[in-house]
Each structure stands twice: as C-alpha cells, then as structure tokens.
Amino acid sequence: MLKNKLNLYFDAKNLSGFTFKIFQKLVSSQFTSLLKNKIERMSDKATLKIDGQEYEFPLITGTENETAIDVKALRAATGGVITIDPGYKNTGSCKSAITFLNGEEGILRYRGYSIEELADKASFLEVAYLLIFGELPTAEQLEKFHTDIKSKSIVDEDVKKIIDAFPKNAHPMGILSSLTSALVAFNPSSVNVDSDEEMYNAIVKIMGKFPVLVAWAMRKIEGMPLNYGSKSLGYVENVMKMMFEKPNEDYEINPIVKSALDKLLILHADHEQNCSTSTVRIVGSSHAGLFASLSAGISALWGPLHGGANQAVLEMLEAIKEDGGDTKKYMAKAKDKNDPFRLMGFGHRVYKNFDPRARIIKKAADEVLNDLGIDDPILDIAKGLEQEALNDPYFVERKLYPNVDFYSGIIYRAMGIPVEMFTVMFALGRLPGWIAQWREMRLGKEPIGRPRQIYTGENLRAFKTINNR
Ligand code: CMC
C-alpha cells in the first residue's frame, strides 16, 4: 500500500478538473467586492482523495480574496505524495504584502496604490521606498534615503579593471550581472538580517552603486569614459547624466526624457513573483547575500520570454520594417505552430487582459515622440500589429494582449538608449522590487527554496564494465 502511494502524485496542471473538492462557495468577482473581507465559505478546507482515503488541507485567503490550498502537510500526511506544476502556473511560492496583481481584470498595485496613480504622481525613488519599506516616505524620509544612497554610490575603482576585460561587443546584461556579482567581493557578502542597520546599509549601497554599473555597462559598449554623475541631482536625473554625458560637453537634463524615464522605471519596479523575482527570492533563501541574489535575478531577467522581450520587440519591429512593413505576414508566422516565431511583447503568464503598464507606456510613447519631434515608423508598425492582434481570433481566444515590453523600447530608442541596453533599463527599474522581495523573504524567515520532483529515469541497474556496453 505504501509503495503504491509513493508512486502517486496529483497533477496540479488540471487542478480544477481533478479529484480535488474545494468546499468553497465560488462567488463572482462583483459579489466578492461587495462582501469584501466578509466572504462566507461553506468550508475553509479542501479535501483530497487518494486511493479512497480523504485528506483535508486548509485554505488560505489573501486580502484581495485569492484562495490557495495550503499543502505544506501533504507529503507527510499522505506518505510521500507531492504536487507537480511545471512553470508553477498554479503554485504560489510565498505570501507577500508587496504587489497585488489581478491578471483577469488588469489590475496592478504596489502596497495598495494603483500603478496608474503612482506613474502619474510619484517619483521613482518614492516608489522604491514604498516597495521596500511598505509606506510612501515623508519628505524627510525621502531626503534621508536619497542622501544615504548618494553617500554609498562610489564604486571601487578596481571594478573598472573588470569592465576593461570585457570585449566591446559584450552584452550589457552580462556585464551588469557580472559586476553586480563582483560587488560582493568589494562589500561584505552577507547581511545580518536581524540588524535593521545592516539591512538598511545593504539597501542604500546597492541603490547607490547599481545605477553607476548600469551607466558603465552602457558607456563600455559605447566606448565612452566611465564617469560619475553629480550629488546635486535627483536620482533619475543623475542616472541620465551618468549614461548620456559626453566627455566634451555639459549635459543638460531634458525634462521630457526625465519624466518618461521616471515613469518607465516606476512601471517596471515590481511585478510580484515573476521569473527574476522568484530567482532573487530562491537564491536569497539559501542565505546568499543581497548582491549575489540580485546578480542571479539579472540573469533570469535577460531571457527573451522575460525582460529580454523589450530588446526582442524592437528587433522584431525593425525586421518587419526592413521586410516592407507587412504586419500580416508576421501575424501569420506568430500563429503558425510550425514556426518558432512569436509576437514579442504579446501575451503574459498572469494578464489575460490588457497589461495596465502597456496602456500607460503606449500613451507615453505617443507623448514622448511627439514632444521630442520624432516620427518613428516602427511606432506605427507596433500600433498596426496591436490592432490586428486585438481582432484576430487566435490572439482573442488565447487572451494575448500587448505587455509592458511592447511599447517601452520605442521610448528608450527615442531617448537615445541603444537596443542592447533596454533590458538593463528594465533591471534598473526592477531593482527596488527585487530588494523589497528579498527583504520580505529574509525577514519572514522563509525556508530554503527546494522543490521536489517526480523521477522518471531508470530503476536500479547493475553497472556494466566498459567492454560490455
Ligand atoms: N505569440 C504567439 N503565440 C503566443 C504568444 C505570442 N507572443 N504568447 C503565447 N502564445 C500562445 C502559445 O503558443 C500558446 O498557444 P497554444 O495554447 O495553442 O499552445 C498560448 O498562447 C499560451 O501560451 P503559453 O506559452 O503557454 O503561455 P505562458 O504563460 O507559458 O507564456 C509568455 C507567457 C509571456 C512567456 C508568452 O506569452 C510569450 O512568449 N510572449 C512573448 C514574449 C514576451 O513578450 N515576454 C514578455 C512578458 S511581460 C514582461 C516580463 O515578464 O518580463
């Protein structure tokens, strides 16, 4: 009986159709909001039946009434049964109070504030503070945060030797990930998370040094001298100066570019348990230091299915333009299951509706290009693709909408940022989110992340000597 049980697992991919009986009254979203926090369930437990035996597991409800089955006790209770869910499509890895995302309704909030309001009214540094510490800062708190960041922004000169060793055509995401990891060698690698002071110092250090690394990664590929900005500037203005200042002329901040960059960084600042954030949390769960965890997150972000999509989108739009602007041809390729081509910047694991960030960025792209007097034909190609996709049954049925990466590259390009730097800009925006999630994970004393597996390889077999193979 026990052996039989050990070979069993339930497949959470088909959670709703499986023998799970959740004795929960399913309420519509309208009803849910009416009864906010007063949901009455028929039961707060889920029952799982395996080989005729029933097991009960508690249901957990979040502040926005999402429900999870708490399977912490599953393996012990059943004598070895686990859940399996490739890509974690149904699996919550943690409880988190940082970001709320409702993909069906296209809602995104940081610490309870809507992304629309934050993008409109807040600065990136305010949002960083909010994400990391939980509340919007007062003017004094913000001033102190910025002063502390600036005081820690000097990067050891020896880091420049590491940059020197990279070939000129190295991808800046590779440079950024390596340099962030290298910072560990120049700074204590672990933080005593029980010390507020050590935690705070680690946070302001990386908030100060990371933009320098971002700027240096760009200046390396552009063959420009590695400089520092100015302590007298705001956080985002200083990033711009460090990135764009030419060695032979004074740099003047363009307020249109500054405001667009602030907005873009805010929109990218956190997105709950996405691939790179989960990476940061899982690496950090081994008690690797903050910088090492961030470096791993940067590598995860680099992939074209995640943050690397912004570079891929621009390259795709350029290719369509070069190919005569025939959007229908590329729509057909995206739908052809024998063609690996995907419409980059479309679709999302969680959003089954408009990505609220994409709406804001599309509007900003129009404004920025207009204000800067730029007429970029790829903006028209992008809008054409969007229009076709929104009316195409393939995209409609699969609920594929433009995501955050679809229009962002067009703005970055208008700002004069090279295409290989787009994902680096995403990383700069995501930094406070990664820090906030790492901090929450460490303060929450979460156990080391270590999934299980269902082994499908050979059973025990005898070793064959080399002549008998
Ligand atoms: N073009 C064409 N078909 C698509 C696309 C696309 N961009 N995205 C999904 N599909 C199809 C997919 O082929 C599948 O079809 P079927 O049901 O017939 O097999 C269906 O839609 C579901 O897709 P999936 O790959 O199972 O969904 P997923 O949740 O595993 O993947 C995704 C989500 C974002 C990786 C995917 O939509 C994608 O590859 N998009 C393009 C890359 C992109 O823009 N990534 C940025 C994501 S947002 C920013 C970020 O997270 O960093």
Side-chain angles (χ1 to χ4, degrees):
M1 185 61 189
L2 184 66
K3 186 169 186 300
N4 190 26
K5 272 193 179 169
L6 284 172
N7 286 336
L8 266 174
Y9 68 95
F10 81 83
D11 189 340
K13 285 203 298 291
N14 300 317
L15 198 57
S16 53
F18 197 70
T19 51
F20 247 124
K21 280 194 272 161
I22 302 172
F23 293 118
Q24 168 199 8
K25 193 173 179 180
L26 288 174
V27 282
S28 71
S29 56
Q30 289 100 332
F31 191 45
T32 305
S33 53
L34 272 177
L35 290 181
K36 209 163 182 347
N37 299 327
K38 286 189 198 146
I39 292 286
E40 283 180 34
R41 295 184 190 289
M42 286 169 68
S43 165
D44 54 3
K45 290 190 169 47
T47 307
L48 170 64
K49 201 169 175 183
I50 302 172
D51 281 353
Q53 169 127 19
E54 290 194 351
Y55 305 90
E56 282 196 334
F57 300 97
L59 294 177
I60 297 179
T61 307
T63 47
E64 292 288 341
N65 296 316
E66 317 115 294
T67 304
I69 303 157
D70 180 350
V71 292
K72 277 201 291 289
L74 174 67
R75 191 167 178 276
T78 56
V81 177
I82 62 168
T83 60
I84 193 161
D85 185 19
Y88 311 118
K89 293 191 177 192
N90 304 281
T91 298
S93 59
C94 60
K95 292 190 220 167
S96 177
I98 301 170
T99 288
F100 172 67
L101 203 171
N102 179 329
E104 276 70 35
E105 294 181 29
I107 296 171
L108 175 61
R109 292 182 205 140
Y110 299 160
R111 302 280 190 187
Y113 295 100
S114 82
I115 193 65
E116 290 80 7
E117 212 176 0
L118 289 171
D120 192 37
K121 298 181 182 155
S123 72
F124 175 59
L125 205 59
E126 280 179 277
V127 169
Y129 188 99
L130 169 71
L131 283 168
I132 298 170
F133 301 112
E135 294 295 339
L136 283 167
T138 61
E140 272 161 41
Q141 286 168 330
L142 187 62
E143 174 69 28
K144 179 176 181 330
F145 189 44
H146 193 201
T147 305
D148 293 339
I149 287 171
K150 286 188 284 190
S151 75
K152 301 283 184 199
S153 62
I154 304 293
V155 172
D156 195 299
E157 276 296 290
D158 280 347
V159 170
K160 290 185 177 171
K161 294 184 195 151
I162 305 174
I163 299 182
D164 256 356
F166 280 101
K168 195 75 165 290
N169 60 358
H171 195 287
M173 279 299 274
I175 301 180
L176 185 67
S177 167
S178 308
L179 295 184
T180 307
S181 196
L183 280 184
V184 177
F186 296 93
N187 296 273
S189 60
S190 60
V191 176
N192 172 9
V193 296
D194 295 322
S195 154
D196 288 348
E197 196 188 343
E198 276 193 40
M199 179 70 97
Y200 181 77
N201 279 338
I203 291 168
V204 291
K205 245 186 216 173
I206 194 67
M207 285 293 294
K209 295 180 201 304
F210 198 76
V212 180
L213 302 184
V214 164
W216 286 0
M218 172 161 139
R219 297 179 80 87
K220 164 76 188 181
I221 60 168
E222 300 223 304
M224 300 273 271
L226 307 184
N227 64 348
Y228 275 100
S230 164
K231 265 189 153 185
S232 64
L233 293 173
Y235 190 83
V236 172
E237 286 92 331
N238 195 39
V239 170
M240 290 168 64
K241 181 174 159 71
M242 286 193 290
M243 287 174 70
F244 301 124
E245 187 176 43
K246 304 239 164 66
N248 57 353
E249 59 186 57
D250 288 339
Y251 181 69
E252 274 188 38
I253 307 285
N254 179 327
I256 300 165
V257 175
K258 189 258 154 190
S259 143
L261 185 55
D262 227 329
K263 206 178 281 246
L264 281 170
L265 295 175
I266 291 170
L267 293 172
H268 286 88
D270 195 48
H271 213 230
E272 48 116 304
Q273 307 312 317
N274 56 83
C275 178
S276 58
T277 301
S278 301
T279 302
V280 169
R281 284 185 86 125
I282 205 164
V283 172
S285 77
S286 76
H287 295 192
L290 174 59
F291 300 172
S293 308
L294 292 171
S295 169
I298 295 165
S299 297
L301 185 73
W302 193 355
L305 298 189
H306 190 12
N310 57 12
Q311 175 175 345
V313 168
L314 205 99
E315 288 166 350
M316 174 190 80
L317 295 174
E318 267 300 325
I320 298 175
K321 191 186 98 190
E322 292 303 309
D323 199 16
D326 185 357
T327 48
K328 295 215 163 27
K329 175 174 162 188
Y330 286 85
M331 289 291 289
K333 274 165 74 62
K335 292 187 283 180
D336 181 354
K337 291 290 170 201
N338 297 316
D339 189 328
F341 176 81
R342 276 191 167 198
L343 196 56
M344 299 312 285
F346 258 77
H348 197 277
R349 168 60 60 79
V350 184
Y351 290 119
K352 302 301 165 201
N353 198 328
F354 268 94
D355 178 337
R357 302 166 301 172
R359 280 189 206 274
I360 302 171
I361 294 180
K362 182 182 178 187
K363 191 160 165 271
D366 269 330
E367 287 163 5
V368 173
L369 267 64
N370 195 27
D371 289 347
L372 295 176
I374 295 173
D375 181 17
D376 192 337
I378 66 166
L379 180 57
D380 294 331
I381 294 179
K383 284 182 181 171
L385 279 172
E386 178 185 338
Q387 215 36 51
E388 281 177 44
L390 293 179
N391 292 304
D392 188 303
Y394 174 97
F395 286 85
V396 174
E397 278 158 22
R398 289 170 180 77
K399 299 191 166 83
L400 303 171
Y401 292 88
N403 60 49
V404 68
D405 293 319
F406 196 59
Y407 288 102
S408 60
I410 296 174
I411 310 187
Y412 288 137
R413 181 152 98 158
M415 289 173 177
I417 298 175
V419 68
E420 313 84 59
M421 278 295 292
F422 290 2
T423 315
V424 171
M425 299 313 290
F426 191 151
L428 179 63
R430 187 54 54 91
L431 179 68
W434 286 333
I435 296 172
Q437 300 271 353
W438 177 87
R439 179 175 178 269
E440 181 182 71
M441 181 273 305
R442 288 304 311 271
L443 293 182
K445 310 278 181 224
E446 280 180 23
I448 186 167
R450 203 295 187 190
R452 285 184 175 267
Q453 64 166 16
I454 291 296
Y455 174 70
T456 58
E458 299 286 344
N459 293 115
L460 180 65
R461 49 185 175 160
F463 181 80
K464 284 186 191 161
T465 54
I466 197 155
N467 296 333
N468 291 319
R469 289 174 206 164

